[in-house]
Amino acid sequence: MMEAVEIFWTPAGVTMSASGTRALVDITDGDTPNIRMPVRMLSVDTPEVTARTDARAGAIDQEFAQLAEWIEAGRAPISRALGEFLLPKLATGRAGTLQFKQGKEASAFAKQNVEQRLTRPDGSKRSLFIRMDGHSPFDDNGRLLAYVAPNYSATERGNLSREERSTFNLDMVRKGWAAPFVIYPAVPGELDLPLLLADADAAISAPRGIWTEPDTLLAYEYRGLERLFQITKKIVGGAEVSAADRHSWRERYCVDMRTRVLHGPEDYFTVAPAYRLWLWPRDVQEAVGRLNLVPSRKLAGAA
């Protein structure tokens, strides 16, 4: 018979994070199955390859060109200022093709870079060092949110500078294949954030990678514009679209890390790309107090 115990947890239980289904690799012992899990590298955003094929990328070219026409005609739910900023990139007729091309180039660099840095001088392989940010372990797609780097030995670390033992996340920014994408509260530490900002600024100024193309849509812009196209298509087609749904394509507020000024979701473009800190709406109130943020004149005027 089971003996009586004093319950020391909440009887209702707690909600635990889930990461979806995963492929089993093997089993070490009775309580240690090894699984295959995707990692979403924190603080960086690389061009999308979701088009999958050149044909679909070409179709997106046409969709974005159509979106440009709708924006010019005032039919898309986007501010005039942001519309004018994005129009030249949309109207090229190759916005989808360029994104897909850059996405494949970023993927190729990532594979080559990981292979090179994980290989020791004797040809053996290092394992991965994975560090989570301590806030949310998984994103909405069940990917582990983390910084990833070669797992150097203590001796190796002693002979390498912080720059030389950089994360793969930072490598993508340094070579220009990713835009910095820091989302509060997962902000890099006091030694790592300056490296990220300096390398991003240098890649943009050089320019390198995606920054060599003036018509580049950053990946977060591309994803938002895909959503804006679908919303505008419904509006133009006469469908009922609520006010909330009309603006659901832009998700985050943006802070200028140099000035602590908080900007609205459609004013992010006024902040230099290297210095954008992103906030989910649910985190704005906390961040304003914790980070001593100052609302922009436009936000303050709307309050």
Side-chain angles (χ1 to χ4, degrees):
M1 176 185 294
M2 178 180 174
E3 297 184 16
V5 298
E6 294 291 333
I7 301 297
F8 54 87
W9 61 85
T10 171
V14 296
T15 300
M16 301 179 68
S17 297
S19 64
T21 60
R22 293 287 171 260
L24 177 67
V25 176
D26 57 31
I27 295 176
T28 301
D29 57 29
D31 60 8
T32 312
N34 298 305
I35 63 173
R36 180 183 176 91
M37 174 174 286
V39 175
R40 174 60 168 90
M41 296 202 301
L42 285 165
S43 299
V44 302
D45 203 16
T46 63
E48 295 289 349
V49 293
T50 48
R52 304 296 182 195
T53 66
D54 290 334
R56 176 56 190 150
I60 295 171
D61 290 341
Q62 299 306 310
E63 291 175 355
F64 279 7
Q66 175 63 78
L67 179 58
E69 293 182 12
W70 288 334
I71 291 173
E72 286 188 297
R75 308 192 72 180
I78 185 173
S79 69
R80 179 181 297 275
L82 180 55
E84 290 176 352
F85 171 75
L86 293 171
L87 266 174
K89 303 179 182 185
L90 289 170
T92 61
R94 64 186 188 105
T97 298
L98 178 58
Q99 183 77 190
F100 189 45
K101 171 180 175 289
Q102 292 178 332
K104 290 187 290 185
E105 290 171 339
S107 297
F109 168 75
K111 292 173 184 176
Q112 174 271 324
N113 185 50
V114 168
E115 174 66 20
Q116 177 181 331
R117 294 192 62 206
L118 289 184
T119 303
R120 297 188 180 94
D122 65 4
S124 61
K125 295 294 184 181
R126 299 182 178 92
S127 59
L128 287 174
F129 174 80
I130 298 175
R131 181 176 181 178
M132 295 180 289
D133 76 304
H135 296 281
S136 177
F138 305 108
D139 71 2
D140 292 340
N141 295 314
R143 297 175 296 183
L144 183 69
L145 297 169
Y147 296 95
V148 186
N151 187 25
Y152 292 114
S153 67
T155 300
E156 288 177 313
R157 289 196 299 273
N159 293 321
L160 295 172
S161 68
R162 200 172 192 87
E163 291 83 356
E164 291 171 326
R165 52 187 171 86
S166 59
T167 63
F168 294 126
N169 312 49
L170 184 58
D171 288 346
M172 298 302 294
V173 171
R174 180 177 291 158
K175 295 299 183 180
W177 290 117
F181 194 46
V182 181
I183 303 177
Y184 179 88
V187 179
E190 61 177 330
L191 298 179
D192 296 314
L193 182 59
L195 282 179
L196 177 69
L197 301 185
D199 282 348
D201 197 45
I204 295 168
S205 299
R208 292 189 288 269
I210 62 174
W211 307 107
T212 62
E213 285 278 358
D215 296 327
T216 289
L217 285 170
L218 302 182
Y220 49 78
E221 293 174 325
Y222 176 84
R223 293 189 298 268
L225 289 169
E226 282 190 309
R227 294 191 293 270
L228 179 60
F229 171 79
Q230 295 300 332
I231 291 167
T232 307
K233 184 178 179 180
K234 291 179 182 179
I235 293 171
V236 171
E240 286 285 337
V241 181
S242 69
D245 287 342
R246 282 172 176 260
H247 298 289
S248 62
W249 62 273
R250 76 302 194 272
E251 302 173 314
R252 305 173 190 88
Y253 288 75
C254 182
V255 176
D256 189 329
M257 285 189 263
R258 300 164 298 182
T259 64
R260 297 180 186 262
V261 173
L262 173 68
H263 297 271
E266 293 187 49
D267 293 320
Y268 73 87
F269 70 96
T270 63
V271 180
Y275 301 99
R276 295 169 183 167
L277 170 65
W278 299 93
L279 300 177
W280 291 104
R282 63 176 179 267
D283 294 323
V284 168
Q285 185 173 357
E286 175 196 318
V288 167
R290 185 177 178 187
L291 303 180
N292 296 317
L293 303 181
V294 179
S296 67
R297 290 182 179 180
K298 187 173 180 180
L299 275 182

